[in-house]
Amino acid sequence: MKPFNYAVISSLCALIIGVLLIVWPDVAVNYLVITVGVLFLLPGLLGLFSYFASAGKRREAGIRQAFPVIALGSSLFGLWLMIMPEFFIGILMYVLGVLLVLGGISQLVNFASARAYIPVPAGVYVLPSAILVTGIVVLFNPFQAATVPFIVLGAASVVYALTDLFRLLRFRRKRNGQIEDITPIEETKEE
């Protein structure tokens, strides 16, 4: 495939992925949790398979090996993540919300107690207050908060794709009737 065509196709794929992440961020969150489940399931299954595959050799050699409980746990946890991703998203977001609320309150209390010893500017309270408010928002709307990073990722992907397509279409040259991409990364000099 010619470099220009490959660059256009990859930019169009990035554009499509970005639009999908913006339009359906909740689906992306589910697929992320499912992917994490697969990443737990595969090593667990590999461990179990290895254990059972080598059982005959171990028996012949008189070696006793403990059952791979960790591999079984990893497999079961991976299956659980894959079957019930919404459950884990909810738990994760509630934990994150509680941590943000506690962190914001802790910082506000620390700054208030520091006022007894040194002057504390009022602007210092803005960030802990924002952290506290963010935690409260996450606690009351955990699934919406879980989709925000995917919307940002999707928007970044769309911007990347559009700027790359602009670069490809604007800064191209023709050589022998073929369109080539100009990549100003390296400069080659002929001697």
Side-chain angles (χ1 to χ4, degrees):
M1 187 175 283
K2 295 177 181 144
F4 180 77
N5 294 340
Y6 176 76
V8 169
I9 289 171
S10 66
S11 294
L12 289 176
C13 288
L15 180 65
I16 291 167
I17 289 170
V19 169
L20 290 175
L21 285 174
I22 291 171
V23 174
W24 292 300
D26 51 335
V27 174
V29 172
N30 285 340
Y31 281 121
L32 177 67
V33 172
I34 290 170
T35 303
V36 171
V38 168
L39 293 175
F40 273 98
L41 177 68
L42 292 179
L45 289 178
L46 183 64
L48 290 172
F49 178 75
S50 299
Y51 174 78
F52 289 116
S54 65
K57 291 180 183 179
R58 286 192 319 270
R59 203 176 0 223
E60 289 173 7
I63 300 171
R64 291 189 52 126
Q65 182 181 5
F67 185 78
V69 176
I70 294 175
L72 179 64
S74 178
S75 299
L76 293 175
F77 185 63
L79 278 174
W80 192 13
L81 283 170
M82 293 168 61
I83 293 170
M84 300 175 58
E86 294 86 9
F87 174 75
F88 289 97
I89 295 167
I91 288 175
L92 178 67
M93 295 312 294
Y94 283 118
V95 169
L96 178 63
V98 167
L99 290 174
L100 288 172
V101 166
L102 292 175
I105 291 171
S106 172
Q107 287 184 355
L108 288 170
V109 168
N110 288 338
F111 285 136
S113 64
R115 281 191 349 205
Y117 305 106
I118 58 170
V120 178
V124 174
Y125 292 98
V126 172
L127 190 58
S129 299
I131 291 171
L132 177 63
V133 169
T134 302
I136 292 169
V137 168
V138 168
L139 285 174
F140 285 107
N141 200 354
F143 294 104
Q144 183 65 33
T147 60
V148 170
F150 289 98
I151 294 171
V152 171
L153 182 62
S157 183
V158 167
V159 169
Y160 161 76
L162 292 177
T163 56
D164 201 41
L165 285 171
F166 174 77
R167 176 190 63 86
L168 290 168
L169 296 174
R170 179 75 173 102
F171 302 108
R172 62 186 173 152
R173 62 179 169 165
K174 291 184 181 182
R175 178 186 284 173
N176 299 332
Q178 296 178 342
I179 297 176
E180 294 184 3
D181 182 22
I182 297 175
T183 52
I185 296 172
E186 276 185 48
E187 185 175 309
T188 56
K189 294 182 180 180
E190 293 183 26
E191 296 181 24

